[in-house]
Amino acid sequence: MMRVLVFEYITGGGCNQAALPSSLAREGCLMLQALLADFSALPAIELTVMLDSRLLAEVDTRAVQHLAIISPEQDTEAEFARLLAAVDAVWPIAPESDGVLLRLCLAVQAQGKRLLTSPAAAVAVTGDKYQAYRRLQQHGIATVATQLADQAMFAPGEWLIKPIDGAGCGGTYILPTQAALAKHIIRSPRFIIQPHLHGEKTSLSCLFRHGESWLLSVNLQGFTVCDHQYVLQDIIVNDRPVTSAYQQVAAQVAKACPELWGYVGIDLIETPETIWVLEINPRLTSSFAALRSALGINVAELVLQLLHGSPAITVSTDQAITLTLHS
C-alpha cells in the first residue's frame, strides 16, 4: 500500500484566505479530478487530498480515503506539512510564482518523502525563466531570447514583459510600441523581457526520468489577446501526431535538464523556420486533464512506473480532445 498526498495548490487551500480566482480554480479542478481518476484505477493506493471548503461540490472525492478540508482560518502550508508525516509519497501541483512549488518540493524532501514530481533542483532551474533560458541556450536548443528587465537593451519591435517565475500568462504584457515600452517597462530583476514572436503556440506533454524523455502528446493552445495580455481560451490535446521533430525537442530538453522527473509540460512557439522552446513546466499542466480521454493512458500509473524504470506506454485510443478553459 502506498499512501499518497495530493495537493493541488489553488483547489487545495492555497487561496483559502482570499477570493478564488475563477479561471485558475477551473483549471485546478480539471487537473485534480483527472489525477484522482487515474489513482482510483490503481490498486494499493491510499489517497489523502487537500480541498478548499468552497469547492466541496465541484470535485468528486469518492476515491479519496482521507479528505482534508481547508477552511479560511487554517494555515494551508502548515496543514500540508502536518499531513506529510502520515504519507509515503506526495504529488504537489502548484505555480512556480512566488516560489510556491519550490517551497512545497523542499518541504517534501526535508521530511524524506517520495516526490512524484520533479525535485526542487529541477524547479529551481525551470521555474526561473531566465535560468531556464540560459540552460537551454548552453545546450544549443532554440529558445526565445530572454533578458532581465533591469539589464535589458531594446531594439525596435514588439516585446513581452513577464514575471521571472510566472505561471501561465499571469502578469505578462505585450508592449507593441516603443512608447508602450517606455511607459510600462518595469526595471526589476524579478521580470524578464522577450521579443514578441508570432507563431503557432503548441505544447508537449512528456514524461522525464534522469535525462530520458517520453513524449505523450502534442497540443495546440488557443489564445486571445485582451488589454495587451494573452488569455488561454482552450487547448486541443493530442492535436497532431508525435513526429520526430517534437521528439527531438523533448529529448534535447531532457538532456539539458536531467533533474526533470515525472510529468513535464513544454510550451513552444512554432514559426515556419523553427520550433522555439518558450517555457518548461516541471509539474502537471492543464493538458494532462484530457490525456486519458485522448490516448487511453493512465499518467499516474506511468509516473509510478518511473520509480523503477521506463514506463510501459500503451495507447488504446487516438483522438483530439478540446479543453475549454475560458468561455
Side-chain angles (χ1 to χ4, degrees):
M1 178 69 69
M2 177 181 281
R3 300 168 298 171
V4 178
L5 169 60
V6 173
F7 178 33
E8 198 290 315
Y9 186 78
I10 302 298
T11 61
C15 300
N16 67 321
Q17 297 176 2
L20 269 175
S22 58
S23 60
L24 293 179
R26 172 173 170 72
E27 291 181 52
C29 283
L30 285 171
M31 289 187 287
L32 176 60
Q33 198 69 76
L35 187 56
L36 297 185
D38 276 5
F39 273 123
S40 71
L42 303 179
I45 297 292
E46 183 178 297
L47 281 180
T48 298
V49 174
M50 298 173 65
L51 187 64
D52 191 301
S53 59
R54 293 167 291 184
L55 295 173
L56 284 170
E58 305 298 323
V59 179
D60 183 352
T61 58
R62 286 177 292 180
V64 176
Q65 285 75 35
H66 308 287
L67 183 62
I69 300 172
I70 307 301
S71 66
E73 299 79 28
Q74 288 178 273
D75 181 328
T76 299
E77 291 194 27
E79 180 66 6
F80 174 76
R82 186 187 70 81
L83 292 169
L84 277 179
V87 300
D88 306 305
V90 186
W91 197 316
I93 311 163
E96 297 90 333
S97 49
D98 299 322
V100 173
L101 181 58
L102 181 60
R103 269 198 321 276
L104 296 177
C105 291
L106 287 170
V108 174
Q109 292 171 210
Q111 289 206 28
K113 305 296 182 176
R114 169 71 70 175
L115 262 175
L116 298 178
T117 60
S118 288
V123 176
V125 173
T126 59
D128 180 314
K129 292 179 173 58
Y130 186 66
Q131 294 301 323
Y133 159 73
R134 293 186 62 187
R135 178 71 70 88
L136 294 171
Q137 188 184 48
Q138 288 165 4
H139 285 78
I141 298 171
T143 184
V144 180
T146 301
Q147 302 178 72
L148 293 172
D150 64 338
Q151 302 172 10
M153 303 291 290
F154 300 101
E158 288 189 338
W159 294 82
L160 292 175
I161 185 167
K162 59 181 71 171
I164 198 167
D165 60 355
C169 303
T172 298
Y173 288 89
I174 302 168
L175 306 176
T177 64
Q178 292 295 300
L181 185 63
K183 181 179 179 181
H184 294 288
I185 181 63
I186 303 171
R187 289 286 186 179
S188 164
R190 300 309 304 161
F191 287 82
I192 59 166
I193 298 290
Q194 296 173 327
H196 185 199
L197 292 187
H198 293 274
E200 196 170 40
K201 295 169 177 61
T202 54
S203 69
L204 307 180
S205 296
C206 309
L207 297 177
F208 284 79
R209 182 178 185 269
H210 308 319
E212 291 185 275
S213 65
W214 295 267
L215 177 53
L216 302 176
S217 72
V218 183
N219 319 303
L220 179 63
Q221 299 176 315
F223 288 91
T224 58
V225 176
C226 181
D227 295 329
H228 300 292
Q229 284 190 287
Y230 276 112
V231 178
L232 182 58
Q233 295 289 128
D234 54 48
I235 304 170
I236 304 176
V237 178
N238 195 35
D239 173 73
R240 59 196 65 183
V242 170
T243 64
S244 59
Y246 293 120
Q247 289 176 326
Q248 181 179 12
V249 170
Q252 288 176 324
V253 171
K255 184 177 180 180
C257 304
E259 306 97 328
L260 290 169
W261 191 94
Y263 181 98
V264 175
I266 304 173
D267 290 339
L268 310 173
I269 296 178
E270 299 190 36
T271 63
E273 301 80 22
T274 307
I275 299 176
W276 303 88
V277 176
L278 179 62
E279 293 185 10
I280 303 169
N281 302 301
R283 53 174 170 78
L284 288 187
T285 60
S286 298
S287 301
F288 156 75
L291 284 177
R292 177 187 280 265
S293 298
L295 299 172
I297 60 175
N298 185 320
V299 172
E301 181 178 27
L302 297 175
V303 167
L304 293 179
Q305 291 173 4
L306 290 173
L307 296 173
H308 309 289
S310 300
I313 302 171
T314 302
V315 173
S316 61
T317 186
D318 186 5
Q319 57 183 335
I321 300 293
T322 299
L323 284 174
T324 301
L325 303 177
H326 288 84
S327 56

